[in-house]
Amino acid sequence: MRERFPFSKISTLILFVLLFGSLLGSASASLTVKKIAPIAEIGAGYQSLAITSTHIALAGEGIEVRDRVSGARVVVQESSTSLLFTDLTTSASASGASFIAVGISESSVVTSREQSDGAINPDSITVASEEEKKVGLTRLILVEFTSSGEITRTSFFDSDKPLLPRSIHLFGEEIVIVGDIASDRGHQGFMVRRTLSGEDFQLSRFGEMNTSIFAAANLRTLYGSSEENLVGSKRQGASDGVILYLDKTGKAVKAVRSFASGAKREWSDVSPVHLAVGPLIRGKTSEVAITDFDSQGKPEWSTRIPGVMGLVEGRAVGVITKARIKALPGFRANSNHALFLQFDKKGSIKSAASIPAISIIDIFEDHALVKVKSGATQLISFS
């Protein structure tokens, strides 16, 4: 069991790094910030992006695929008020690259009720009526489809409680979905696993009343936030960023926390190389922490940018900021910008690009969906 700060060496190290880490002071003074031009405007209702060498897939209220050369569109799933797709990723198949989208829909149960004895029934006909009862967003949906828009498989996982899938990952032949699921006392983090071959879903839950899982670095390492004790690790701040380590059955056996006194922390995204990002909020002050962990949860380097949001892909990080940054003397912003930074393994910035934007909706490889001040969603490339 890890002791409370200041007795835990890991806790002390993480707190020191996150409170006193440099504010991006390690890049070359000659580094220029590329100005990004939009590639295409994307219709409202999409919140996830995935890209292959030939096609772009978008998911949200529906799903569509676009040809990267011609721009031709194919609707895979029509928009629906009862169905929402929250994330998607790519998958290699015998026929070429394809996509997997995860979503949720409202479930219902139908019960049969016999007619009451007092009802008039002159012909003595047995009559039963049916009642439909909505039970909430409890059905998780996986849709696998090709770049031509053909759906190759649709599968379902029915939960006993409403749930919110936040991200989907593919590790080898394993599909991993993480997010939040309602509990009797609040909400828990969850992980659902299934193989590409279509074996049964396996569900794991984490916490009891206030834990969220946002992303997975691999099959056994999850990143998120918690306001409760986990795996013998005690809550430290108002909300702590947490890394959960699992055994082969999906049970959490270790938790590593990132925290600051009185602050709200979370790890909102992570890449397979354990580069993690997440907000640090104290009062009215908001920063985005960027930390490179090793496989055991020890920070290799860390830095912070005044701003909000934060997404990561590989060693590229996207944040929303208008702050002056010492390492980027050429970056000047009077309003919020989406700033994309490419880091090396030691934490130095190798490249930077920006576009005026109020939010980053999703990031995939060297592309992103951003929402600009007008409210439009734009597809951009930051490479």
Side-chain angles (χ1 to χ4, degrees):
M1 177 184 292
R2 292 176 57 238
E3 298 292 336
R4 281 183 178 272
F5 175 84
F7 302 105
S8 164
K9 293 182 180 179
I10 287 183
S11 296
T12 303
L13 178 60
I14 291 175
L15 183 60
F16 178 84
V17 169
L18 295 183
L19 287 179
F20 303 107
S22 67
L23 287 176
L24 295 181
S26 57
S28 169
S30 62
L31 183 66
T32 59
V33 180
K34 173 187 173 182
K35 293 183 178 180
I36 300 171
I39 296 174
E41 183 171 329
I42 305 298
Y46 291 114
Q47 63 181 50
S48 187
L49 167 74
I51 295 178
T52 67
S53 60
T54 57
H55 290 81
I56 297 170
L58 301 162
E61 295 173 2
I63 303 174
E64 75 171 51
V65 177
R66 300 186 180 189
D67 187 284
R68 292 183 64 171
V69 176
S70 68
R73 305 179 186 182
V74 176
V75 175
V76 179
Q77 176 74 49
E78 295 284 354
S79 176
S80 171
T81 57
S82 61
L83 176 62
L84 176 67
F85 292 96
T86 55
D87 198 19
L88 56 79
T89 190
T90 57
S91 172
S93 65
S95 59
S98 56
F99 302 93
I100 309 173
V102 63
I104 47 173
S105 68
E106 189 170 45
S107 297
S108 61
V109 294
V110 177
T111 58
S112 179
R113 184 182 63 183
E114 291 187 0
Q115 193 176 38
S116 64
D117 294 338
I120 298 174
N121 187 8
D123 296 318
S124 299
I125 299 173
T126 301
V127 178
S129 61
E130 291 184 342
E131 288 186 344
E132 184 178 38
K133 179 182 178 181
K134 299 293 184 182
V135 294
L137 296 171
T138 60
R139 170 164 281 193
L140 185 148
I141 299 177
L142 278 183
V143 177
E144 300 171 54
F145 58 99
T146 67
S147 57
S148 63
E150 177 189 0
I151 295 177
T152 56
R153 177 186 294 165
T154 301
S155 49
F156 306 94
F157 172 77
D158 287 308
S159 167
D160 59 341
K161 300 282 187 180
L163 74 171
L164 174 64
R166 295 186 180 274
S167 60
I168 182 172
H169 311 266
L170 185 62
F171 301 115
E173 295 294 307
E174 291 274 353
I175 301 170
V176 173
I177 301 144
V178 298
D180 293 359
I181 186 169
S183 69
D184 293 335
R185 301 174 60 189
H187 67 272
Q188 304 168 292
F190 81 85
M191 177 181 72
V192 167
R193 292 174 56 178
R194 199 209 75 190
T195 62
L196 279 172
S197 60
E199 295 179 0
D200 291 341
F201 289 94
Q202 298 179 359
L203 172 68
S204 299
R205 305 178 194 238
F206 313 100
E208 296 181 1
M209 58 185 177
N210 208 324
T211 295
S212 296
I213 301 298
F214 292 94
N218 53 48
L219 288 170
R220 296 192 183 183
T221 314
L222 311 181
Y223 284 67
S225 67
S226 183
E227 297 181 17
E228 58 183 312
N229 301 340
L230 291 171
V231 201
S233 173
K234 296 182 179 180
R235 171 182 168 181
Q236 302 289 344
S239 177
D240 301 335
V242 294
I243 308 173
L244 293 182
Y245 293 86
L246 317 180
D247 63 16
K248 63 181 180 180
T249 69
K251 178 183 177 181
V253 295
K254 176 186 173 183
V256 173
R257 292 180 179 267
S258 302
F259 58 90
S261 178
K264 294 182 178 180
R265 294 295 321 275
E266 70 180 39
W267 293 120
S268 54
D269 201 9
V270 67
S271 70
V273 295
H274 295 276
L275 181 61
V277 297
L280 188 159
I281 301 172
R282 185 188 287 110
K284 296 182 179 180
T285 302
S286 176
E287 297 177 305
V288 176
I290 306 168
T291 302
D292 191 20
F293 292 96
D294 68 10
S295 61
Q296 300 303 310
K298 176 184 175 181
E300 302 285 357
W301 56 265
S302 184
T303 191
R304 301 190 310 275
I305 300 176
V308 295
M309 304 186 66
L311 292 173
V312 61
E313 179 80 4
R315 292 200 168 274
V317 173
V319 300
I320 295 294
T321 186
K322 60 179 179 180
R324 295 285 297 275
I325 298 172
K326 181 180 178 181
L328 301 173
F331 179 64
R332 298 285 190 274
N334 296 321
S335 61
N336 278 338
H337 278 56
L339 179 63
F340 297 92
L341 305 172
Q342 183 76 35
F343 290 90
D344 66 14
K345 292 183 179 180
K346 295 183 178 180
S348 295
I349 304 173
K350 306 305 294 182
S351 65
S354 73
I355 184 173
I358 58 177
S359 68
I360 304 172
I361 299 171
D362 197 17
I363 181 172
F364 194 92
E365 295 181 351
D366 58 350
H367 286 68
L369 295 178
V370 300
K371 181 174 287 188
V372 296
K373 189 174 182 180
S374 67
T377 298
Q378 300 283 358
L379 173 66
I380 61 99
S381 172
F382 51 85
S383 61

